[in-house]
Amino acid sequence: MFNAITHSTIYVLDQDEALDFYVGKLELEVSADIPLGFMRWLTVCVPGHPEREILLEKPGPPSMSEETAEQVRELVTKGATAGTLFFSTDNCRKTYETLLARGVEFTEEPTDRPYGTDCGLRDPFGNNIRFCQPKS
């Protein structure tokens, strides 16, 4: 039936601030930035991998009522929307040091695990992000 996952969505409260974080700090690239009138379709991807995009969606119409959007914004701020992204890296500790120097807030330092070395951080809106250097 299906042959790929093309888009995943996380909620952000400010799309320009999200761009600054995801492109400016994490070095993802913009895939699409399209004003649709009723919303801004803003996606980013890992450089060289346009086949998998992350939609940086601002909670609101048309997908939800303003009342629901306000509730979602509160949950996003608390880090409680289950918005989690997982990335891989060739060098977890070096990536950690680079992002730490850029002011990224970490929730967990690089830790060796049975599957590799990984760590955790949050974006400015409370979404969880993890990246891992898999064991080779």
Side-chain angles (χ1 to χ4, degrees):
M1 268 180 53
F2 302 113
N3 58 21
I5 295 173
T6 61
H7 293 75
S8 298
T9 300
I10 59 168
Y11 290 120
V12 300
L13 303 181
D14 180 303
Q15 289 175 309
D16 290 326
E17 186 178 357
L19 272 180
D20 181 55
F21 180 79
Y22 284 96
V23 175
K25 292 187 178 180
L26 300 189
E27 295 185 4
L28 299 183
E29 62 185 23
V30 175
S31 298
D33 190 352
I34 306 166
L36 298 174
F38 56 88
M39 72 175 287
R40 179 182 179 189
W41 183 264
L42 178 61
T43 63
V44 295
C45 66
V46 172
H49 293 279
E51 68 280 0
R52 180 74 192 267
E53 298 177 68
I54 302 164
L55 174 63
L56 304 174
E57 185 175 3
K58 189 173 177 183
S63 64
M64 62 186 73
S65 69
E66 186 52 45
E67 180 182 347
T68 300
E70 182 56 36
Q71 293 169 344
V72 171
R73 286 190 287 271
E74 289 177 23
L75 291 172
V76 168
T77 301
K78 294 176 184 178
T81 59
T84 302
L85 300 172
F86 291 87
F87 294 98
S88 64
T89 182
D90 292 330
N91 189 326
C92 185
R93 290 184 186 343
K94 182 178 178 184
T95 301
Y96 168 81
E97 293 297 332
T98 299
L99 295 178
L100 193 63
R102 293 179 184 167
V104 172
E105 173 192 343
F106 280 84
T107 55
E108 185 178 359
E109 295 180 357
T111 305
D112 292 327
R113 304 200 187 275
Y115 52 84
T117 305
D118 82 345
C119 64
L121 61 111
R122 290 190 193 272
D123 74 5
F125 315 102
N127 292 300
N128 296 305
I129 299 172
R130 297 198 70 81
F131 57 90
C132 178
Q133 175 185 343
K135 278 194 171 177
S136 48

